[in-house]
Amino acid sequence: DTGVSQNPRHKITKRGQNVTFRCDPISEHNRLYWYRQTLGQGPEFLTYFQNEAQLEKSRLLSDRFSAERPKGSFSTLEIQRTEQGDSAMYLCASSLEAGMGGYGYTFGSGTRLTVV
Amino acid sequence: ILNVEQSPQSLHVQEGDSTNFTCSFPSSNFYALHWYRWETAKSPEALFVMTLNGDEKKKGRISATLNTKEGYSYLYIKGSQPEDSATYLCAFIQGAQKLVFGQGTRLTINP
């Protein structure tokens, strides 16, 4: 297992277009998280899954954002009708349960989205 | 709404000097506190997961302490090296749910 993989690494899109990002977690990890990070801020929680169930979605997330984790494996994050304010680094992480057991979360390298 | 506060926001330290920074978090319903190091163009990397009041953890020249009753954690770096330059993130779990991150402390080591 090579860790958490995110694709693409970079995405430039025109305002109003839809984009989809993919995250492949560590296979033994049952929890998968999406975070967004903008310049000078820490990662901001978006949503998380336990297996295939989406357990929580941030109230900050508009209806333009949707995430799926079919069969509890990889996950996709889709943003519809992108806006310039969506420009950010989108981070995916996975963990065993709530990040206990001394291992913390394992993060991917992120997808940097630029909306022009 | 959880607030995790880190200070300072940025720090410049001379190579060889020791340094420390602070993370404060809500003290109620504590579950765990994480520290991560995030180097430019890389993934955030877990340094410590701390769960017990009074916990002290160490990894090489880096150590951390935890006070859950008063809601703070300190991260210490002894004898700073250029490779320690990174953003150090503190994150808090309340009630076994998800991590809530502070804004980070950006550390630059001057040779």
Side-chain angles (χ1 to χ4, degrees), chain B:
Chain B
I1 296 177
L2 300 178
N3 280 326
V4 181
E5 301 288 338
Q6 290 189 248
S7 63
Q9 288 195 25
S10 67
L11 193 55
H12 290 254
V13 175
Q14 204 63 31
E15 183 178 352
D17 287 351
S18 297
T19 188
N20 65 85
F21 22 94
T22 305
C23 170
S24 62
F25 53 88
S27 54
S28 62
N29 199 19
F30 177 84
Y31 193 72
L33 186 94
H34 294 205
W35 281 99
Y36 290 82
R37 175 170 58 202
W38 194 1
E39 296 178 67
T40 303
K42 294 187 178 180
S43 313
E45 172 199 0
L47 287 174
F48 303 115
V49 174
M50 309 179 81
T51 57
L52 298 175
N53 185 44
D55 246 357
E56 290 188 27
K57 298 224 173 178
K58 188 174 180 181
K59 183 186 284 190
R61 294 177 292 99
I62 304 177
S63 60
T65 61
L66 178 67
N67 183 322
T68 61
K69 294 185 188 304
E70 296 181 38
Y72 65 83
S73 175
Y74 293 131
L75 189 81
Y76 300 90
I77 302 178
K78 186 177 177 182
S80 304
Q81 299 296 310
E83 59 265 30
D84 296 329
S85 294
T87 296
Y88 290 83
L89 294 165
C90 162
F92 170 74
I93 299 181
Q94 189 183 57
Q97 296 191 29
K98 79 280 185 183
L99 283 176
V100 176
F101 284 87
Q103 77 275 32
T105 292
R106 187 178 186 91
L107 177 66
T108 304
I109 307 301
N110 302 317

Side-chain angles (χ1 to χ4, degrees), chain A residues 13-75:
Chain A
T13 190
K14 290 185 178 179
R15 190 174 54 185
Q17 298 292 306
N18 298 344
V19 293
T20 300
F21 311 140
R22 177 177 169 127
C23 172
D24 288 88
I26 290 176
S27 54
E28 308 86 70
H29 287 180
N30 53 4
R31 284 204 176 189
L32 185 147
Y33 309 82
W34 285 99
Y35 285 83
R36 175 173 65 189
Q37 192 258 345
T38 53
L39 197 62
Q41 301 296 315
E44 173 189 41
F45 170 76
L46 295 179
T47 189
Y48 83 96
F49 295 83
Q50 179 151 318
N51 301 311
E52 66 274 11
Q54 187 174 19
L55 295 187
E56 187 175 346
K57 185 174 174 180
S58 169
R59 286 172 292 177
L60 300 173
L61 223 56
S62 76
D63 291 342
R64 298 184 297 106
F65 287 73
S66 62
E68 294 183 340
R69 192 184 182 196
K71 301 179 184 177
S73 56
F74 71 92
S75 176

